[in-house]
Amino acid sequence: MDDVAVTGRFAPSPTGVLHLGNLRTALVSWCVSHGVGGRWLVRMEDLDPVTASREHAARQLDHLARLGLVSDEPVVRQSDRFDLHRDAIARLRRDGLVYPCYCTRREIRDAAAAPHGDGLPDGAYPGTCRELTRAERIERERAGRVPALRLRTEGERHRFDDLVLGTVEGVVDDLVLQRSDGVPAYNLAVVVDDHLQGVDQVVRGDDLASSTPRHLHLQRLLGMPHPTYAHVPLVLGPDGNRLAKRHGAVTLDDLSARGWTDAEVVRLLGRSLGVDDAPGSAEALAARFSLARLPRTAWRLDPGRDLTR
Ligand code: GLU
């Protein structure tokens, strides 16, 4: 048997039903790891107890399985791993890289909107709580404010060679590591979990490409190797916005109700990924799939026109 070449993963947030765009990204991730005899894992990013649910997670896993996409190891849930995330925050804290932030969303929005002329990306945290004195912190806590935890950064730039997008570069800001309700933040948790699960190949939607410099930065600070990245262009509805329920039949159940078999859906997705005469099984698709042929632009889909039969 070949050595296990890569470990890829799909990491959905169980906050709703997977739509064709999510399933398509999952399929790409599965094909690039299984296509070279690698492992493929599913991780449920259920950090937010308000929006995530076990029911959504179960339904997402069921839909993935219907397309032949089954995790090679037991599915991991981020909500079971807060201790691991907090260990990483503690390490950063020991290095003097963590500070409490008492800002409300609104304060951040207002401050970030004001011109600051220091080269930070739009919407970046303007650093309000970076240099608070002890007295100022105490004052805020007395007023009942519970802090989030932020990473102290110095405008570091990070660049990576994305397997789909080419060279991507970005500046890092003082990102949140832990929310004020104590829940670890996505950017921290994703880095910790990918590392601990041995993931060395990250395939995900290209809406997350701009977050990747943050992940590279955290990996460097935590002494973790960088995975390779492939950011897959999203699926857009006829109005040019991200594919969503309001665009019509966009989930596997919607398509089944219209008479599509799961194999036909795999074929449809395979064609959209640049595979001619795409086969109706993930296994067969993996053998023919190549990232080099993946379209570099979003897949425009009009469910009313393209998905009727
Ligand atoms: N959980 C994230 C999402 O559903 C994806 C995170 C990732 O792939 O890094 O958008």
Side-chain angles (χ1 to χ4, degrees):
M1 210 183 120
D2 288 340
D3 285 343
V4 170
V6 296
T7 297
R9 51 62 156 190
F10 181 59
S13 304
T15 56
V17 185
L18 294 174
H19 60 57
L20 283 177
N22 310 125
L23 294 170
R24 182 174 181 258
T25 302
L27 192 57
V28 173
S29 148
W30 194 90
C31 284
V32 289
S33 50
H34 270 218
V36 295
R39 290 189 304 160
W40 185 75
L41 312 178
V42 176
R43 179 176 67 239
M44 283 295 159
E45 300 213 320
D46 60 347
L47 291 170
D48 188 341
V50 177
T51 54
S53 80
R54 298 268 168 131
E55 291 69 31
H56 284 313
R59 187 143 177 233
Q60 292 188 346
L61 292 172
D62 175 55
H63 285 193
L64 290 169
R66 280 170 53 186
L67 301 189
L69 313 180
V70 177
S71 183
D72 292 321
E73 285 178 14
V75 173
V76 157
R77 266 195 299 269
Q78 284 189 318
S79 59
D80 291 336
R81 301 164 65 87
F82 285 5
D83 287 353
L84 299 169
H85 306 141
R86 291 191 181 122
D87 282 351
I89 296 173
R91 283 168 56 195
L92 296 167
R93 194 198 283 265
R94 280 197 292 277
D95 291 337
L97 293 172
V98 178
Y99 66 90
C101 168
Y102 300 88
C103 294
T104 61
R105 267 174 213 272
R106 184 183 181 127
E107 285 166 346
I108 294 171
R109 222 181 23 244
D110 292 351
H116 36 76
D118 46 13
L120 283 177
D122 282 353
Y125 180 62
T128 321
C129 290
R130 261 177 89 102
E131 311 300 343
L132 292 182
T133 62
R134 207 174 119 73
E136 287 167 332
R137 286 186 184 153
I138 291 171
E139 183 191 312
R140 283 166 175 70
E141 284 182 23
R142 288 231 174 92
R145 292 211 182 183
V146 181
L149 299 178
R150 282 187 186 272
L151 182 70
R152 189 177 291 279
T153 60
E154 308 298 337
E156 291 90 345
R157 296 190 83 79
H158 287 271
R159 179 203 297 243
F160 63 102
D161 287 319
D162 189 274
L163 296 177
V164 178
L165 305 178
T167 304
V168 178
E169 191 174 338
V171 179
V172 175
D173 69 338
D174 284 5
L175 55 103
V176 172
L177 299 168
Q178 182 172 295
R179 308 181 339 182
S180 61
D181 60 4
V183 172
Y186 159 70
N187 287 309
L188 183 273
V190 74
V191 164
V192 169
D193 288 331
D194 278 339
H195 174 66
L196 294 178
Q197 293 189 276
V199 170
D200 53 12
Q201 181 190 65
V202 171
V203 175
R204 59 187 173 199
D206 70 359
D207 53 328
L208 287 166
S210 61
S211 293
T212 304
R214 297 173 166 148
H215 304 165
L216 298 172
H217 190 59
L218 284 168
Q219 285 152 4
R220 181 184 294 171
L221 295 176
L222 292 164
M224 299 170 174
H226 304 307
T228 57
Y229 288 96
H231 288 93
V232 179
L234 296 181
V235 182
L236 303 181
D239 55 2
N241 290 318
R242 215 187 275 206
L243 191 68
K245 195 82 202 152
R246 66 172 185 288
H247 292 128
V250 294
T251 70
L252 207 49
D253 287 339
D254 294 338
L255 290 178
S256 306
R258 291 180 173 210
W260 288 72
T261 64
D262 297 340
E264 284 171 329
V265 175
V266 172
R267 224 174 267 131
L268 170 81
L269 295 176
R271 272 202 307 277
S272 83
L273 295 170
V275 178
D276 296 333
D277 286 327
S281 86
E283 196 72 52
L285 190 69
R288 305 215 354 235
F289 175 83
S290 155
L291 270 183
R293 282 199 304 271
L294 180 75
R296 266 44 186 171
T297 51
W299 183 31
R300 284 292 272 265
L301 194 66
D302 180 349
R305 185 193 62 206
D306 304 328
L307 303 177
T308 42
R309 36 189 14 239

